[in-house]
Amino acid sequence: MSEGKKHEVAVILINYNSGAYTKSCIESILVHTSKTLDFQIVVIDNASEDSDYQALKSYCGQQDFANLKLIRNDINVGFGGGNMLGVHYTNANYLAFINNDSFFTTDCLSIILNAMKSDPKFGICGPLAHNEHGKLLPTLDHFASPVKEIFGRNFLETINPVVYPKRKKLYTAPKRAQFISGSFMIVAAADFNAVGGFDTNIFLYYEETDLCKRLAKIDKFAYLIPDAKFIHYHGISTPKSTDIKIELKISLLYVIRKHYGFLAYKFMVVYLSVRYFFSSIFKPKYWKLFYILLLGAPLSKSLKTRQRIKA
């Protein structure tokens, strides 16, 4: 972490070829955050195209906000890796990991920090999300597990609604969940450091599941804070593709092996292989995914291994 004055909260944003959204996110933070809250913003550009980076650099240079930093990364290290680099440039009591396609509609930082300070069990918290059309987006969720993958969320929410609260419900009071969406998470820096931060073996997806699972082991739990609200323009930096689908399964199986063991991992590899074999018959685009699953979906097939350092 950087030296110097310690802020109350540091906001970390990852930019990847989506500078217009990053600018909008920064502006919404500056407009909606209380002037009495001491915070900083660190933007990590994850090796975007030069035109996108230069436009963002120009914008940041014009802002009348001394605590704004833009750091250029020469290689795309993914969500967890980018945020871990961002943490290096922070000096704050709390860390806010926020997707750059987010737009504040309330003073999310102050509201969530006040809630977290009121109860030590509030280990990692996020606000209520809507999309740009006003539709409620799930902010809380259930840990990745073999049972969840096979039977689905609705089954879990039906058999045990206390442990698995409904995702698509409008809550009006803080609600504990197994994990909260990675689009917006605030955690005490001391707790984040205590569990080792993000697992940078994961390039994309399931980073929040893994982090929240480790935080729960030290009795720091995930909570939705519905008084804080924001808009999420979902999936701007990661458009849907077969490669992204493969990355999703690689991360899923890595997290299951890490937290549930080898047998659970092997079971899920077989289950997903059979499932996508039949899917591939009707959707040939899934043959590549089926092949990766036959190999066990190793990290060596992750998009992370394809990244190249930009001169």
Side-chain angles (χ1 to χ4, degrees), residues 23-40:
K23 297 174 196 175
S24 177
C25 181
I26 292 171
E27 288 172 3
S28 74
I29 294 170
L30 297 178
V31 167
H32 288 282
T33 303
S34 170
K35 305 305 179 189
T36 63
L37 181 65
D38 182 12
F39 69 100
Q40 65 178 139

Side-chain angles (χ1 to χ4, degrees), residues 29 71 159 243 306:
I29 294 170
I71 308 299
I159 64 168
D243 282 345
R306 301 188 209 171

Side-chain angles (χ1 to χ4, degrees), residues 3-150:
E3 298 179 354
K5 178 184 177 182
K6 195 161 195 175
H7 305 278
E8 186 61 12
V9 60
V11 175
I12 301 174
L13 306 175
I14 306 297
N15 181 71
Y16 180 67
N17 293 323
S18 51
Y21 284 92
T22 303
K23 297 174 196 175
S24 177
C25 181
I26 292 171
E27 288 172 3
S28 74
I29 294 170
L30 297 178
V31 167
H32 288 282
T33 303
S34 170
K35 305 305 179 189
T36 63
L37 181 65
D38 182 12
F39 69 100
Q40 65 178 139
I41 301 175
V42 176
V43 182
I44 299 298
D45 181 80
N46 235 349
S48 300
E49 296 299 325
D50 193 59
S51 58
D52 189 81
Y53 168 70
Q54 292 298 337
L56 184 57
K57 180 180 178 182
S58 175
Y59 167 81
C60 290
Q62 297 168 12
Q63 298 310 298
D64 185 24
F65 182 65
N67 298 327
L68 172 62
K69 294 181 182 179
L70 172 63
I71 308 299
R72 172 73 153 163
N73 204 349
D74 291 331
I75 187 169
N76 184 353
V77 293
F79 178 83
N83 277 307
M84 290 300 282
L85 176 62
V87 169
H88 178 75
Y89 291 93
T90 67
N91 189 7
N93 295 317
Y94 291 85
L95 302 170
F97 302 102
I98 302 173
N99 280 16
N100 71 324
D101 53 359
S102 301
F103 187 89
F104 284 35
T105 56
T106 62
D107 185 0
C108 293
L109 299 179
S110 298
I111 294 170
I112 292 176
L113 288 177
N114 288 337
M116 294 183 75
K117 291 173 184 178
S118 72
D119 191 330
K121 295 193 302 294
F122 287 22
I124 183 165
C125 298
L128 189 68
H130 290 83
N131 69 12
E132 62 271 31
H133 306 297
K135 180 182 178 182
L136 179 69
L137 294 175
T139 306
L140 52 80
D141 208 337
H142 324 309
F143 288 139
S145 68
V147 173
K148 175 184 170 184
E149 292 303 312
I150 294 170

Side-chain angles (χ1 to χ4, degrees), residues 203-218:
F203 186 69
L204 282 175
Y205 303 112
Y206 294 100
E207 302 92 345
E208 66 268 56
T209 290
D210 174 66
L211 178 62
C212 290
K213 230 177 187 326
R214 287 182 281 123
L215 284 167
K217 291 179 180 178
I218 61 169

